[in-house]
């Protein structure tokens, strides 16, 4: 019914930058909060950043000042600009969205994930 597809993950050296994108498609009426989560190898998934429909943002302390989340509602897309990357940022990054479908049902949806690897 709703599909989220992430892109932009890559191998980058410490100090470098990457921009992740997540595009939502399907039976969408509107999208409320969108966010990015990550799961380092052998660890649990953790919140990276979220952004509401009104543009209010929340960041994990570990990324605040380095990462910026934004959205383009015309494209049903959320972005994560990652600067000054550190090896600790290495993880699979997942997109999440709270979607009101055309059937007027609200649900949480996840993308498949995109790999970000930061070398030292």
């Amino acid at each position: 019914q709703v599909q989220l597809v992430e892109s932009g993950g890559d191998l980058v050296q410490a100090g470098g930058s990457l921009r992740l994108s997540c595009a939502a498609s399907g039976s969408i009426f509107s999208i409320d909060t969108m966010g990015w989560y990550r799961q380092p190898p052998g660890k649990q998934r953790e919140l990276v950043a979220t952004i509401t429909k009104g543009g209010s943002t929340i960041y994990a302390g570990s990324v605040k000042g380095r990462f910026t989340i934004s959205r383009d509602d015309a494209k049903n897309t959320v972005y994560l600009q990652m600067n000054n990357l550190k090896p600790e940022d290495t993880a699979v990054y997942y997109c999440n969205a709270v979607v009101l479908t055309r059937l007027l049902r609200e649900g949480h949806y996840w993308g498949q994930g995109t790999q970000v690897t930061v070398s030292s």
Side-chain angles (χ1 to χ4, degrees):
Q1 190 176 34
V2 177
Q3 181 174 303
L4 274 59
V5 180
E6 301 100 333
S7 62
D10 207 346
L11 171 65
V12 65
Q13 285 193 302
S17 298
L18 284 174
R19 188 192 190 211
L20 305 183
S21 299
C22 173
S25 61
S27 185
I28 299 170
F29 182 80
S30 65
I31 302 177
D32 295 313
T33 301
M34 303 185 79
W36 289 95
Y37 297 74
R38 67 186 183 186
Q39 186 166 20
K43 299 180 180 180
Q44 292 186 312
R45 188 175 300 185
E46 63 183 20
L47 181 143
V48 176
T50 62
I51 182 168
T52 67
K53 191 175 183 179
S56 180
T57 59
I58 296 175
Y59 295 92
S62 59
V63 307
K64 200 164 190 174
R66 299 188 298 121
F67 292 10
T68 302
I69 188 170
S70 61
R71 62 192 289 166
D72 184 342
D73 290 330
K75 298 180 179 180
N76 286 332
T77 299
V78 63
Y79 305 94
L80 185 68
Q81 178 65 48
M82 305 185 293
N83 298 324
N84 191 25
L85 284 161
K86 304 176 180 179
E88 306 91 86
D89 296 319
T90 295
V92 177
Y93 283 70
Y94 297 91
C95 175
N96 172 269
V98 179
V99 178
L100 183 65
T101 71
R102 293 188 184 277
L103 295 176
L104 301 182
R105 292 193 174 189
E106 188 175 83
H108 292 239
Y109 296 87
W110 292 89
Q112 297 181 46
T114 185
Q115 177 70 50
V116 172
T117 302
V118 184
S119 62
S120 58

